[in-house]
Amino acid sequence: MEELESEISHSDSDLLRITPLGAGQEVGRSCHLLEFKEKKIMLDCGIHPGISGLAGLPYLDFSDPEKIDLLLVTHFHLDHAGGLPWFLQKTPFKGRVFMTHATKAIYRWLLSDYIKVSNISTEDQLYTEADLEESMTRIETINFHEEKVINGIKFWCYHAGHVLGAAMFMIEIAGVRVLYTGDYSREEDRHLMAAEIPAVRPDVLITEATYGTHIHEPREEREARFTNTVTDIVNRGGRCLIPVFALGRAQELLLILDDYWSNHPELHDIPIYYASSLAKKCMAVYQTYSNAMNHKIQKQLNVSNPFQFKHISNLKGMEHFDDVGPSVVMASPGMMQSGLSRELFESWCTDHRNGVIVAGYCVEGTLAKHILSEPEEVVSMSGQKIPLKLSVDYISFSAHADYKQCSEFVRAMKPPHVVLVHGEANEMGRLKAALNREYEDDPETSINIHNPKNTESVQLYFKGEKMAKVMGDLAIKRPNHGETLSGILVKRNFNYHILAPSDLSAHTNLSTSALTQRQSVSFTAPLSLLKYYLHQLSDDVVTLKMSNGREGLRIFGAITVVKEVNMLVLEWAANPVNDMYADAVLAIILRVDTDPQARKIPVQRITKPDLYREFKDRLEVMLESMFGEHSFKVVAPGEDSLPEDEIHLEIDNLEVKINSKTRAVSCPNDSQTEEMLTECVQRLYATIMPVGTA
Amino acid sequence: MTSIIKFTPLSGALNEGPCCYMLQVDEFTFLLDCGWDEEFDLKLIENIKKHISHIDAVLLSFPDAQHLGALPYLVGHLGLNCPIYATVPVYKMGQMFLYDLFQSHHNNREFDQFTLDDVDTAFDRINQIKHNQTVTLRDKGEGLSITPVHAGHMIGGTAWKIVKDDEEGEVVYAVDFNHKRERHLNGCSLFDSGDSLSSRPPQLLITDAYNAAYIQARRKLRDEQLLTKIIETMRADGNVLIAVDTAGRVLELAILLDQLWRDTRSGLHAYSLAMINNVTYNVVEFAKSMVEWMSDKIINSFTDQRNNPFQFKHLKLCHNLGDLAQVPQPKCVLASTIDMQSGFSRQLFVRWCSDPRNAVIVTGRTAKGTLARTLIDDPTISHLNLEIYKRVPLVGEELDQFERQRAAKKASEVKKFEDESSDESDVEDASKPGQVQHDFLVTADPPKKGGGFFKQAKKTYPMFPYVEQRLKWDEYGEFINPEDYRLNEIAMLEEEVEAAKPRKLPSTDEPQEVEQQDETPTKCVREILGVEVKCSVSFIDFEGRSDGESMLKIVQQIKPREVILVRGDPLATRKFSESITKLLNSGAGSTSAVEVFTPAVNEVVDTTKERHIYQVKLKDSLVGSLRFSTAKDAEICWLDAKVDYSEGLRDTAQVLSATQIAESTETSRQIRLPLDGDEEMDVDEVVMATSKSAKSETKPLKIAESEYKNAIPCLEPLNLEETPGHQICFVNELRLSDFKQVLVKEGIQAEFIGGVLVCNNSVAIKRNQQGLIDMEGCLTEDYYVIRDLLYQQYAIV
């Protein structure tokens, strides 16, 4: 009930709505819709790695792609960018798309690889290579920390760690800031920097919750465990399979292995293969966008390129692989859904000397996740059951924030609202509870944590107090209480400025302009006749003598009428009021010109009409019809006791005096009647008398 | 409210000296660039010295010495100790410029204006930022923010926007910008209205008049000229020397030439192409890794095809004349420095100028008196007296004396080394006694290693030779191979040396083994040498600056309210200032005259203005009653409102209580009160705040003057009868050609007859002398239809 009330009390314009269309209480297909002040922003557009075809897309039917202004993609992973070509090519989305330079460069190759690798039948394929290429032209790039303003939405991005080019987006609409982290890691590793903590505080933080309340082991320990496991496997004569996602974390593992091999000459005759043509293609990207990496590696890059590996050879495919003796093979995809890593796994899994190291996060429903529970048997691609004998180790290098990092991150910014996304429901629930616990004893901070399901909106209200700046001549003197302020209000991107019209061009890119209108109409009657009728319209009629000898009139001080041969030319400065005056003048001109009755005025009467007398007559008619002929007494003017202009009435035994010249009404005994009559007289006067008469 | 804006040129005003200006905004003083000329004139330093303690921040716009040359001196010798801001490429390339500059001088003469250490310390102070990244300053600069904007010309090139928090009085510092798109850079984005962060005209524009009176040939023409010159010369078996800078414009030329060489039709691939300066390798590596700062075309070709334009196919990278000697003749060489006062361009010029087959191409105008400028001003010059510095080995008496000094120095040094880490003293022990004294040539060494030196000039240097020895782990090849290689090099070089004039000594001692060279004590000599200039000399402009005419257009477009012109020939500056004044004050609708200042060096321009601005709060009921109409990217409407202070006073109380929520640094932000259903805390707080202030409101509304100042007035809607009338404004500037499109779309026949837009043969629309629109026609239905359409083009308030 309370919520209902609050909804009613806040106008819709204060409502900020965050709706996960994917990755709400799940991992994969990240896609979130942010709506505020009629601006719609989509954050990421991924696909679910465990589901193929259209079903793997986010719930885009809950959005209206046509109305989305902006799409921001945090990094190149399939679960964040995989749906983009489909969204760009197959929906009426017209907005703009931004990602960082490195993301765009890798996105192109990664998705092209995805199209090739995904062994889905063609009719199930979401998009083709051609779609991908076309999507490239629509994607714009943004540099880290560079601010952009699109359609009143201001946004910029921070380094997020995780993978090369990964960004966190800060979005500001009408002063309300939302930070979307995408996937991030607060730990500096071999080549990436830790996610930055923004200097400005967001009002809403949308953060990943992948690891829930888990805490990563320290980096050194993890690396040592990894290299030890690899050494163990090869030393016992086994083959070591490391299924990895082709780009991103793989580069980190390569750096570790290459470094380890360099320091251990005894391992030199054991080959390391990296089975990815994609990685080779993207090496140039890694070499180029080194500015997005940490300082250590940048320094190293100045001397030699650490991405030129000395001990790792590229493996083009199974057919090129000479499987004799121990070896280390890194192969994609990382969750062994299909492809090379799956093939190798199936051929190696029956030998107990072999080992597999799962090095990244695994989504439910994939083989990698399945083998972590150490089953006796696994089902091969062809449907056979094969015994699982090789050793399975899980060492996470996935560079997602763990509980410690996440909690630190929240603590550093203390945003009033935190929205958890990108995490399994249970993990997310635990994280929410843990974060809540952290702040329950803290009266200083109140942090609301939300963990919406897919398509369930989080609704937040941000009451906008609209502030405007008064500038220029208008601001020379501050007005006092109760005074009136008039000027032009300029609204741009939720900023308001109030200016005098003359300052418009100095303070904005706008400028004031003026229009003049000239209209010709045929007219054969004498000008004096027109003047007579115009006098009935307005008191303000001035005769002009034009320089070229022509005669003219000026009415309302705004409309000039010039008599030409068989023609009148009206001229005025255009604005709504003058246009109306002009129309009125025009109506009279047309009547005078066309109505034979109107021309029948005797020439001697073509002077200024006695409007005052007319008013008095009409007033008497009006009063008569208002109060009835017999119920009141009209004292005729001209009687001795009365001044000429005064009208005396007696209504319901009340004495009323009306002065028809000054339009003063006096009724000493009843103010209500007096008020009513004053109004009537004024209105009649305004109706009958020409415009501009005092 | 007054905001102080004072501008003092310290160099480069009413002359073509290097850029160095001081800008004071309120309490905060910026140093805008700190260039140094070719001669390292200490007068300039003296000038800055007086103000050094006042400087709160340095903004750098380009990486060349003209814009940051004095930085190492200021930091190293004068103790400049404030934050410095530059974009990432300016930081990296700037370092390259200075390393090269230092090296070019040091190779041949004693150079003590700054050391590589000074460069490193100075550059360590730099905050590297991105274009369009707004930096909010702290402490003294509270409320000020600076934003670098892409300015073209050189990679990372920057125009600076300096904004005071009230948004009034934005200062734009834009010198040497280039609005044209080039091969490797986009045009200056300062004046795009599209995604600009503020679409208001700046209060003050500081720009240069360097190109004011200079007419540029079209780019295509200049490219052709260059190509023809190169082909002509090389076909005649001559060498081409192109004098370029170290890491700025050279990139554009390198791309252009490499493309030319790739083009099989040009027939150039038979000849050699080389680039030489002391840091070539690093410059190219950095360029490769800064693709995101370059033109859209390059970025796209990189993301689509992974083509890095700096992955050169034909361009050979050389670091000394020995490397260059290995490049077969005839060759086209891009050599630094651009002014030919020092560096390889000068050395090569001396070598090559007497051969009529050769050609020298100068790509930029430099300061008067430099060799390059001399050649530009008189391309037919046949005889030149050149000052030549060179480094020669010591002999006889001098050598003995040096040995004695060295022995003494060594003794103290050994002691010093022993105090340092044990690792180093191990090294020390292993070394032969003669090898210890590196300090003499310390800094001369690194570039010989192929430019692979970074930030380690002093500390790590003494170890360097021993590191080489340690690499012995692979006993079979490593150690011998380079030696073989080097011998080859010497042989090649000696050939070359003999071919050239015998005095070409500085290079001879180069290819020796490093240790060997360290031992050779040298001294520097200076001689005046008369050279015959027989080669062809030409000037082809590859400066990448906007020309005078375009600059005028740009200034007109951005409509600054004040302009300061710096750096340029006095005559050109004055003329340019006149044209700007005329241009900016002629426009319709401009209310106040635009002032243009042309200060001389040390002449203070004070553009301090009384500025009026205050904030008001708009009540929802008021905003709800407004009907906005759209004009360009803004919405406008007429506002009549009553000023209410009672609300305002209450709100100040509220603002104070809510300071934890709202950030005080950003006054432009709206004050937000999060009012979510389950957020009772905040709601309570607000309620408390309101009730508290409500109490204070119950007192009679007596507002003291001081309270008025702090209170934010609130605007309430007026009653209908209270509304005063106002002059109707038409907002927008109509282009008749645009309007014609509109008419045609509506099915109305419209065409221009003598500048008058005639519609359906009954209505004429034209622009009168004042630039305003006249509409004329007979009384027809069309008249009203067209008038309605015309009105739709304006926002009418």
Side-chain angles (χ1 to χ4, degrees), chain A residues 178-212:
Chain A
V178 179
L179 177 69
Y180 174 55
T181 63
D183 293 354
Y184 72 103
S185 164
R186 289 275 303 133
E187 184 180 56
E188 181 168 311
D189 59 23
R190 293 211 175 206
H191 71 296
L192 295 170
M193 56 177 86
E196 293 169 274
I197 292 183
V200 286
R201 187 182 156 200
D203 300 293
V204 182
L205 170 69
I206 308 175
T207 175
E208 63 150 328
T210 322
Y211 276 93

Side-chain angles (χ1 to χ4, degrees), chain A residues 2 10 101 104-105 108-109 136 143-149 159 174-177 200-201 203 281 284-285 287-291 298 302-303 417 443 446 448 450 459-461 463-472 474-492 494 496-498 501-502 504-521 572 574-576 579 583 586 590, chain B residues 92 130-134 165-168 195 197 199-201 286 288-292 299-300 302-304 306 308 454 561 589 591 612-618 620 623 626 628 631-646 660 663 666 668-679 701 708-709 711-713 715 718 724 728-733 772-779 783-784 787 790-791 794 797:
Chain A
E2 202 182 293
H10 305 302
H101 287 96
K104 186 180 175 187
R108 197 226 173 288
W109 302 109
M136 284 299 281
N143 233 325
F144 287 99
H145 302 130
E146 176 183 354
E147 288 171 14
K148 295 232 182 232
V149 182
H159 289 285
V176 175
R177 283 190 287 242
V200 286
R201 187 182 156 200
D203 300 293
K281 279 184 196 154
V285 182
Q287 286 160 12
T288 301
Y289 292 116
S290 56
N291 286 326
Q298 283 191 37
N302 290 333
V303 186
H417 297 275
S446 103
N448 291 286
H450 313 265
Q459 306 200 353
L460 308 170
Y461 288 91
K463 181 111 177 85
E465 285 278 356
K466 293 176 185 74
M467 303 296 282
K469 284 178 188 162
V470 186
M471 297 200 301
L474 214 54
I476 291 174
K477 195 185 145 287
R478 280 174 81 109
N480 291 321
H481 182 71
E483 283 181 0
T484 310
L485 183 76
S486 299
I488 293 182
L489 181 69
V490 180
K491 175 188 176 195
R492 178 183 278 125
F494 308 108
Y496 295 87
H497 292 106
I498 301 172
S502 56
L504 203 62
S505 64
H507 292 269
T508 66
N509 57 354
L510 305 170
S511 53
T512 51
S513 181
L515 281 173
T516 44
Q517 292 190 42
R518 213 170 293 133
Q519 215 171 21
S520 347
V521 56
W572 71 99
N575 70 40
D579 288 354
D583 288 348
L586 198 64
L590 290 178
Chain B
K92 289 204 160 163
K130 310 276 169 61
H131 280 150
N132 291 341
Q133 175 181 353
T134 304
D165 55 1
D166 57 8
E167 296 176 46
E168 263 283 70
D195 59 342
L197 299 174
S199 36
R200 262 116 51 62
F286 286 155
K288 269 188 211 164
S289 71
M290 290 190 293
V291 166
E292 71 258 46
I299 294 176
N300 287 338
F302 179 73
T303 42
D304 291 352
R306 286 174 288 133
N308 198 320
F454 280 95
R561 276 176 277 167
T591 44
H612 308 288
I613 190 161
Y614 60 85
Q615 276 203 318
V616 291
K617 186 179 292 176
L618 305 175
D620 280 349
V623 178
L626 297 173
F628 285 96
K632 287 191 185 160
D633 55 341
E635 287 176 90
I636 61 170
C637 70
W638 187 268
L639 176 98
D640 285 311
K642 196 157 76 186
V643 179
D644 184 2
Y645 269 97
S646 54
Q660 296 103 314
E663 284 190 21
E666 278 193 40
S668 63
R669 284 191 67 192
Q670 298 182 3
I671 295 151
R672 293 165 282 102
L673 306 171
L675 288 173
D676 191 42
D678 45 17
E679 197 178 344
L701 193 72
Y708 254 135
K709 276 228 163 102
I712 298 171
L715 295 187
L718 285 172
I728 300 283
C729 299
F730 286 69
V731 179
N732 197 2
E733 257 173 277
L772 305 175
I773 302 283
D774 274 354
M775 177 173 176
E776 195 169 351
C778 314
L779 179 67
Y783 185 92
Y784 292 97
R787 188 172 78 178
L790 187 63
Y791 280 4
Y794 291 91
V797 295

